[in-house]
Amino acid sequence: MSLEVRELVKKYGEKTVVDHLNFKMDKPGVYALLGTNGAGKTTTIRMILGMLYHDSGEILWNGGNLDPMKLNIGYLAEERGLYPKYTLMDQLLYFAALKNVPKEEAKKRIRYWAERLQVEEYLYAGENTKKKKEKPKTADQLSKGNQQKIQLMAALLSEPELLVLDEPLSGLDPVNSDLFKTIIREQMERDVYLIMSSHQMATIEEFCSDITILNRGRAVLQGNLNEIKKSYGRVNMILKCDGDIDAYVEKHQLNVTLKTPEDYHIKVNSEKEAMDFLAELVKHQVPVVHFELREPSLHEIFVEKVGQNNE
Amino acid sequence: MNKKNDLYGWEKVCRYSVVQTMKSRTMKVVLAVIFILLFFSMPAVTLFNQKGGKTESTVHKVSVYADRKALQDCFEQKFTGDLKKYTFTILTGEEMEKTLQQLKKGSGDCDVLVEIRAEEQEDSKHYGVELLTHYNEKSKVKKKDVTTLAQAMTDNLKGQLLSVGGMEKEELQELLADTAYEIKTVNANGKIKEDQEGLGDSSYVFVYAYLMVTCFAALIAGSKVAELIVTEKTSKVIEYLLTSVRPLALLVGKVAGTMLIVFMMLIGAAMALAGSMLANYLIFDTKKFLPEALEKFIHGQVLQNAGFAEIVTAVAIFFLGMLFYCILAGLAGATVSKIEELAEGMKIFSFILLIGVYLALALLTMSVSSGNFSVFSTIVYDCPLSSMFIVPAYVLIGRITLKKAVISLGILAAFTGLAVYFVTKVFEHVLYHNGSTMKFKEILAIYQTKKKGEIVK
């Protein structure tokens, strides 16, 4: 199976919000769509899900046009949505029915996910407690985080082949954030095709093998995350020494990105430049406590790419 | 997965809409209030009537003077019906003058003096009967009781006069009953124009009640469809739903669900009314299904012309009309993004509904008097906005022919088909719209763009 987006274009009037976008997932995994606000991530997702018309291009599943009605898709929208006044159980059963999940099976799955996401008390209010007359909870009685859990349940109930998570961790506390991450990992093990959009670069680095960085509707960087990082080289030097090294830094005209009482974060142009600097320090018997060379983080790549294009 | 067309899942949407609407507390309260009011309506009317009737009249002793022997004969020993509760004394001219003086002074035991005078008109052979009532306003006698007495005597006198003329009871009943008649006008070219008779009381009440109920049903159903759609847009549930069903299935499911709710409400209301009539029959000694006060206005004879074909046609027009309005309401609901803006989005729908209702109401008002309103009638019968509000009732009471009703049905079906076609073309785009309320010209622009095939899916 494969998911492929070819030359996708979306315009609102004269404004092009997605401009000839291409990407491909030829095996299960997590694909990241990154970008600033208004870069075109959600628009792209909505086009993949068939919610928005595209002006040109193709969205293919297994080489044929992707029909969202025929493919089992799970979707956690950026703009969370539940019926505010209907009970949570009714809503989940309805969503499952629309995905053709039989009622009894849906009940089992709801029970499973309710336990996993620790929301039984809202779905089964009054059950196994003395408060037998307690009414089932409605969505407007839940906190934002718990509503998000219910929505994740809705997205997972049909055991989808393609899972689309738009900003899945936004607004979650660290505990629930970890819970969501665990579930995302489980889905990865299930060989799901997962598209994730997020502003949290650390999360993307944690899960995604391939990325597309969008800026103003255009892909400014695409590919395998590890390869992208390798292409930048190990240009981040972290140095901790006993003693002042400012004079050496000045002599080598190095770019210090962060200076703390503990260490220096220095951006170098190449590994050789870092090694030369280390040799200089050793030669002058400056005690080096810690020396580290590493690749740029996704955050740095993102800022660089998007910043360049916005200048 | 077996999802093949744009309507896939509509029945699930329909079921969910019905169940959730019926579960809502507001709906439960509204239904309970309506059914309780309807169930107790008939016994309550009878009870109020009886209470009103039990109030003892302040008029007991009535003196009658007639200036003609024949008129006097009509009353002597012939007091029937409601008049039996009074004690009558027939007076001569002198006695009448004396009684009148006593009344003025407040003496004597007569409560009311009734003076009956034959009123001859100088220039014709016709004459009328004048009935004058005298009573002392300072006495215990109340005006309303005097009016009741005068009305009863007038009714009695009418019958007595005709029976004096040698009429049989059956002939009298026929003469005094509502009469059907036709008026034909011949113009200068010899062309005959047929005037329709005015609607009788019971027919008018039936058509008026139908119009009000239909207006209520269309308004409730339309508002509900729009509310359901805009709720999904406001709460953003729509984003999730659209990964499972197409927009058209959402619309169809909601329209079908809402119409089902309205039909259930109407059937429930009818059952509550039937229960109320049964209760009226069982509770009171009168053993009547309807309170006497309503008998004049409601009786089954108005529907005596309704055959199977008429009933089917009437139901079909009602059904199509509801569908027509619900689809328009669905589109109106999709034009807004927030529930607070719903009233603004529903402006056009409300305006269209009002046009239809007012057209029907105008025709009904005109129909009370006899006359020829053929052009206006044809417009109202054939206009898809108004036909639903009047044609079914008219065909059931025999006011219009089945042929005319079928023509109305055909036109309404054609317009409903056009509405469905138009909405099918634009609904998807309108539903995805997020922002300020869409104007009609914007919807038209979408339709034209779609028609040209400029939008790629």
Side-chain angles (χ1 to χ4, degrees), chain A residues 46 51 69 83 90 100, chain B residues 3 8 23 232 239 432:
Chain A
R46 286 178 179 169
M51 289 181 205
M69 295 296 112
Y83 294 100
D90 282 357
N100 278 341
Chain B
K3 302 175 180 179
Y8 166 80
K23 270 187 178 181
E232 285 176 354
E239 294 229 359
Y432 292 135

Side-chain angles (χ1 to χ4, degrees), chain A residues 241-283:
Chain A
C241 304
D242 278 347
D244 189 4
I245 59 166
D246 284 351
Y248 299 102
V249 170
E250 204 169 318
K251 184 184 168 192
H252 283 256
Q253 293 182 324
L254 294 176
N255 177 14
V256 180
T257 53
L258 181 67
K259 182 183 174 185
T260 70
E262 290 288 312
D263 53 22
Y264 286 75
H265 291 237
I266 299 167
K267 189 100 173 171
V268 291
N269 294 318
S270 61
E271 287 184 32
K272 184 178 179 301
E273 188 181 10
M275 297 312 288
D276 288 348
F277 184 65
L278 179 64
E280 173 94 0
L281 294 176
V282 172
K283 185 180 166 188

